[in-house]
Amino acid sequence: MVNRRILTLDEFTIKEMRTVPRATGELAGLLRDIGLAAKRVNVEVNKAGLVDILGDMGSVNIQGEEVKKLDHYANTQFLGVLKHGISCAGIASEEMEDPVSFTDPISMNSKYVCMFDPLDGSGNIDVNVSIGTIFGIYRRITERGIPVRTEDFLQPGNRQVAAGYIIYGSSTVLVYATTNGVNGFTLDPAIGEFSLSHPHIKCPQSGKLYSVNHGNFFQFSSGIRDYITLCQEKGTRDGGPYSQRYIGSMVADVHRNLIKGGIFMYPGTTERPEGKLRLMYECNPMAYIVEKAGGIATDGFQRILEKVPESLHQRSPLFIGSRNMIEELSGFLD
Ligand code: AHM
Ligand code: MG
C-alpha cells in the first residue's frame, strides 16, 4: 500500500507552482534537479569513511583554502546535474573562480541561475559531523537565448526567487524557501525520496541558543564581546543564560537555531574585518530562508539581503536568527 499521506519534494513543488499564475514549472524542475544532485552527494557523504574519498585533495581553492575531495565531488555533481538539466542557465560556486554559463540551446533559454556552496563545513568532513549544501536561485537579468554573464549572478540577495540548503546529518534534510514560505523535506532512504517533514517552518521569535566561535572572542569589537557576555551572565529578557552551540558548519548551526530559536554570529575579527562567510554563497541564501521564516539577518549595519555585491567571492559579517535576539544584539552594535 502506498502511503499517500507522504508528499514528495517533486509533488510539493509542482503543487505549489500550480498556485502561481503563469508559472512555467521551470523552478520546480530546477528544485528537482538540485534534489537529485543532493541525493548523489548524500550517497558519497555516507560512505566517505569506507572509500578513500576522505582527506585533502591537495589543491587550494580560490579562497586560499585546501580543497577536500568531497567538496570537489559535490561541486562536480551540482554542476553536472544542472548543466544537463533543462532549467538552469548557469551556476556560480564557492569552489570555482568564475561562474559557468551553459551554452547548449535549452540551458541558454532557461531563466534561472544558481549560486552554490557545494559543501559547507568542509572542516567537518573527516570527522563525521554534519555538513551541508547551500543554494540561492536568481532570475537572470540578460535576455534568454544567450549565455548568462557575471551581472546575472552579481545580484543583491533580495532578488533571489528561492533559496535552500541540504544537511547531511543524522538524517538528510532539504529545506527551501520561496515567497510562499519555508518547508523542509527529509530523505527517506527506503524510497530515495525527499518527503515533506517540516511544513511551514517558522523561526521562534526568541530562543536560548547562541552560536559563535568563542576562540575569536578577543578579536571581536567591544560591542560584540559585551553582547556575548550578556548571553553568558544574565541571559535575556526571558531570564537565564543562553546555551552556547557551535558545530562549525554554519548551515547546521543555522538550521538548528531556525527550528529551536537562537542566534548565529560570524562577526568581523581584527584579522578578518569582513568575517569568513561568503555573501553570495552562504549569507544571502541563509538570510533569505531565515527572513521568510520570520527571523532577521544583518551584517551589523544593514540587512544582508540589501547588500549590493561587488564581487562574487566577497565575504560579510553575519548575524542571523530569531527576531528578538537580533534586535537585542543591535543595541550593542550601535
Ligand atoms: P567552509 O565553506 O570552507 O566550510 O567555511 C565556512 C564554515 C562555516 O560553515 C562555519 O560556520 C565556519 O566556516 C566555521 O569557521 P571557524 O572555524 O572560523 O569558526
Ligand atoms: Mg561554506
Side-chain angles (χ1 to χ4, degrees), residues 65 94 117 119-122 213 246 248-250 264 266 276-278 282:
E65 299 153 337
E94 189 185 305
D117 179 354
L119 216 50
D120 178 58
S122 42
N213 183 340
Y246 192 71
S249 297
M250 186 267 278
F264 174 93
Y266 206 110
K276 178 182 182 189
L277 302 175
R278 292 78 170 169
E282 294 172 319

Side-chain angles (χ1 to χ4, degrees), residues 138-149:
Y138 294 79
R139 201 169 281 119
R140 64 188 295 173
I141 296 173
T142 53
E143 78 268 25
R144 293 190 200 210
I146 58 167
V148 282
R149 296 195 290 253

Side-chain angles (χ1 to χ4, degrees), residues 195-238:
S195 304
L196 183 64
S197 53
H198 298 70
H200 313 298
I201 295 174
K202 290 278 169 235
C203 183
Q205 299 283 293
S206 296
K208 293 202 179 284
L209 301 175
Y210 75 102
S211 310
V212 69
N213 183 340
H214 263 283
N216 292 335
F217 187 84
F218 291 106
Q219 290 207 34
F220 295 148
S221 69
S222 58
I224 308 263
R225 293 205 301 260
D226 288 346
Y227 175 73
I228 293 174
T229 307
L230 174 91
C231 293
Q232 297 169 324
E233 278 177 358
K234 50 185 171 65
T236 62
R237 302 168 180 166
D238 305 339

